[in-house]
Amino acid sequence: MTSYDYDLFVIGAGSGGVRAARMSASHGARVAIAEERHFGGTCVNIGCVPKKLMVYASHFGEDFEDAAGYGWTLGKPEFDWKTLIANKDREIARLNGIYEKLLNNAGVEIFESRARLLDEHTIDVGGKRVTAAHILVATGGKPAQADIPGRELTLVSDDVFFLDKQPERILIVGGGYIGVEFAGIFNGLGSKTTLVHRGPAFLRGFDEDLRHFLAREMDKKGVALRFNQTITSVAKGQDGLTVEFSDGRREDFDQVLYAVGRTPNTQGLGLENAGVALDKRGAVQVDEYFRTNVPSVLAIGDVTDRLQLTPVALAEGMAVAQTLFQESPSRVDYADIPTAVFSQPPIATVGLSEGEAREQYGKVDIYRADFKPMRHTLSGNEERALMKLIVERDSERVLGAHMAGMDAAEIIQGVAIAIKAGATKDIFDATIGIHPTTAEEFVTMREKQPDPGVSEAAE
Ligand SMILES: Cc1cc2nc3c(=O)[nH]c(=O)nc-3n(C[C@H](O)[C@H](O)[C@H](O)COP(=O)(O)OP(=O)(O)OC[C@H]3O[C@@H](n4cnc5c(N)ncnc54)[C@H](O)[C@@H]3O)c2cc1C
């Protein structure tokens, strides 16, 4: 029998890789992990965590204004970008240390260098050759680069977390969740913010109502939204960066952030040496047990270009550890995964959008509430909230819940449990609300929206 140095070699210590390595080691496997940049990967260092800290930072401006309606008088608030970035860096360094400690405590051998496959069982890690019975590719993704003249003058999300100076005027290109979140961050911090998106509305895939509602709210807060447009070039100008838009207009900005998607991190990994198949976007192709076409090589997380979320990568890491070292083949259930966009206001969603539900089930009932939350009665803030339930008419099962408004992510996480459990509208109705909250609206909505099919037929 061939003996390998390790039972499992993980490439990439991000969300998925760390979880798979720790769990596999806890099941008794001999595990090593390679990380070339930062423990904790994208989420901890240049993703979810620093982004959310910046969202918190950016909300204070509005909170100070809201406080006046409640009787508070404050001096003129001032914001210091350098303090925020330094404090954020300190917190991220603390988290890096925790991730490294977790791996050490689990008995995982750590290589702080780049790894690449030499064949289906052999890895070159920082010039050393090691072998493993299984290799797990968990190398994540990276921001797609601009493909226009002047691309070298633009930023990607990785850069934004380390800017020396807050831009006074920023242009964000892209209508995915990262672009929308950074638009809220910079606008909240006082930068003049413009978001340009080539489609008619941002956040493709989310409920239409929610997309348009959020656009209106962001517009009210002062983000300049330009849909059905793109940019064609960026050049150094007299006053910052001169950007040319697809309609020929030119405008100056201090920074241009490109947020047009992410590509799987598979270049230079030596996957071709093992014969691992990639799809046309360069993502590793896997089956439901995260196996590639090569039996000893598996892949999880963003490098497989499926649902790019940390909790999904974590679940996949758990499943791999269980499949390989617990003799219990495990898959991940991708149904009803809740997600949020930490925009301002935030939006969150679980289950099917109205459009998807109508397509899949035909007859659905929609319950919808659009209102000014109590907090804003005295604050004078014009922000509204939208809450929506999508119900299958025959079975009464709640197929989707959507919300835009303060604490949307916190609220939808709880609603997601009910939806995952298959709750019907009756169960929502039988649940007593917590008063006074915004969340109680999810259990008090009784009025169905007029059925568009019926009103059209009546015309
Ligand atoms: C700006 C931003 C905001 C986000 N916000 C959220 C959010 O709010 N909620 C959410 O759920 N998700 C969010 N995400 C997505 C989330 O970060 C990813 O889905 C998650 O990190 C994927 O985990 P992963 O393990 O697949 O890869 P990663 O976390 O990307 O880890 C991959 C690791 O592999 C290392 N690596 C790559 N190649 C090699 C090599 N050859 N050798 C050694 N090491 C290598 C990399 O350095 C990296 O550390 C966000 C992402 C971004 C960019």
Side-chain angles (χ1 to χ4, degrees):
M1 202 180 108
T2 325
S3 72
Y4 298 105
D5 298 327
Y6 303 101
D7 300 318
L8 176 68
F9 193 98
V10 181
I11 308 182
S15 308
V18 169
R19 180 58 62 92
R22 286 176 54 212
M23 295 314 295
S24 300
S26 78
H27 299 325
R30 293 169 307 138
V31 184
I33 194 164
E35 172 54 53
E36 67 171 345
R37 194 169 168 200
H38 35 211
F39 292 107
T42 303
C43 184
V44 169
N45 296 278
I46 45 174
C48 339
V49 177
K51 179 264 313 267
K52 189 81 187 280
L53 293 173
M54 290 172 86
V55 170
Y56 285 132
S58 68
H59 215 279
F60 280 101
E62 201 172 283
D63 294 341
F64 294 140
E65 281 176 20
D66 290 354
Y70 284 91
W72 289 91
T73 308
L74 300 164
K76 187 172 176 292
E78 280 187 22
F79 169 69
D80 181 44
W81 173 268
K82 280 192 165 34
T83 304
L84 170 65
I85 298 300
N87 289 350
K88 180 270 293 179
D89 287 347
R90 209 172 28 250
E91 172 58 8
I92 302 303
R94 187 183 73 84
L95 294 175
N96 284 155
I98 289 177
Y99 273 85
E100 190 172 2
K101 206 152 131 195
L102 285 172
L103 288 165
N104 275 321
N105 291 349
V108 174
E109 190 170 340
I110 298 174
F111 291 89
E112 287 189 50
S113 44
R114 184 167 174 79
R116 54 189 279 274
L117 278 74
L118 298 176
D119 63 37
E120 69 268 37
H121 289 289
T122 314
I123 306 110
D124 172 291
V125 55
K128 188 175 173 201
R129 268 171 98 95
V130 298
T131 58
H134 304 281
I135 298 171
L136 178 64
V137 180
T139 50
K142 57 182 181 204
Q145 298 285 337
D147 187 18
I148 50 164
R151 70 179 68 83
E152 67 287 353
L153 302 170
T154 64
L155 306 171
V156 291
S157 65
D158 292 7
D159 308 316
V160 172
F161 298 112
F162 307 100
L163 283 179
D164 287 341
K165 201 168 158 247
Q166 179 187 356
E168 281 176 31
R169 304 158 300 175
I170 186 164
L171 172 68
I172 295 168
V173 184
Y177 79 95
I178 294 177
V180 170
E181 289 177 339
F182 276 116
I185 289 170
F186 281 107
N187 185 57
L189 293 176
S191 302
K192 185 168 177 289
T193 306
T194 305
L195 184 145
V196 60
H197 174 54
R198 63 180 177 188
F202 51 35
L203 297 175
R204 192 158 54 89
F206 283 83
D207 188 89
E208 286 286 297
D209 227 355
L210 216 57
R211 297 167 73 190
H212 294 293
F213 183 90
L214 178 63
R216 282 195 298 277
E217 291 299 310
M218 286 176 65
D219 178 67
K220 280 193 318 205
K221 288 180 195 289
V223 179
L225 298 171
R226 295 193 194 157
F227 294 133
N228 294 312
Q229 248 192 71
T230 183
I231 68 170
T232 51
S233 70
V234 181
K236 274 200 176 129
Q238 303 251 306
D239 179 23
L241 299 173
T242 303
V243 175
E244 186 166 322
F245 289 84
S246 46
D247 62 2
R249 187 174 3 168
R250 283 165 182 249
E251 206 173 319
D252 292 333
F253 297 91
D254 299 305
Q255 295 286 5
V256 176
L257 166 62
Y258 239 77
V260 293
R262 294 178 61 79
T263 50
N265 234 336
T266 45
Q267 300 83 353
L269 252 185
L271 291 168
E272 65 289 354
N273 298 333
V276 175
L278 305 179
D279 69 13
K280 54 181 188 304
R281 291 202 65 228
V284 180
Q285 285 184 303
V286 289
D287 67 9
E288 54 195 344
Y289 296 102
F290 312 102
R291 293 176 300 208
T292 68
N293 59 317
V294 178
S296 59
V297 182
L298 298 94
I300 54 169
D302 286 6
V303 76
T304 62
D305 198 19
R306 300 196 291 186
L307 275 178
Q308 298 188 7
L309 291 169
T310 274
V312 172
L314 295 175
E316 294 177 348
M318 296 280 274
V320 162
Q322 216 154 337
T323 302
L324 293 180
F325 305 112
Q326 287 273 280
E327 287 169 17
S328 152
S330 300
R331 291 178 291 197
V332 171
D333 177 3
Y334 295 97
D336 298 327
I337 292 177
T339 59
V341 179
F342 295 99
S343 46
Q344 298 184 27
I347 66 170
T349 190
V350 56
L352 301 184
S353 66
E354 180 177 341
E356 288 167 338
R358 288 197 188 284
E359 215 177 285
Q360 289 178 35
Y361 290 88
K363 289 186 197 148
V364 291
D365 289 324
I366 308 297
Y367 296 82
R368 185 183 189 282
D370 173 344
F371 58 98
K372 188 170 191 171
M374 189 190 210
R375 178 186 152 116
H376 295 320
T377 52
L378 297 196
S379 72
N381 190 321
E382 290 301 319
E383 184 179 296
R384 296 182 68 79
L386 171 69
M387 296 166 86
K388 196 169 165 184
L389 285 178
I390 320 291
V391 180
E392 187 191 0
R393 190 167 300 159
D394 294 338
S395 69
E396 285 261 299
R397 195 158 62 91
V398 180
L399 301 173
H402 310 278
M403 175 174 174
M406 189 184 267
D407 299 325
E410 308 287 346
I411 293 168
I412 287 288
Q413 179 68 82
V415 176
I417 302 171
I419 291 189
K420 190 81 189 159
T424 55
K425 181 68 168 56
D426 278 358
I427 294 178
F428 275 65
D429 294 347
T431 304
I432 305 286
I434 299 175
H435 186 72
T437 61
T438 300
E440 69 182 316
E441 205 67 31
F442 271 128
V443 295
T444 55
M445 284 192 275
R446 298 285 187 272
E447 286 281 304
K448 289 177 197 170
Q449 293 289 297
D451 191 328
V454 171
S455 43
E456 268 165 37
E459 275 166 16

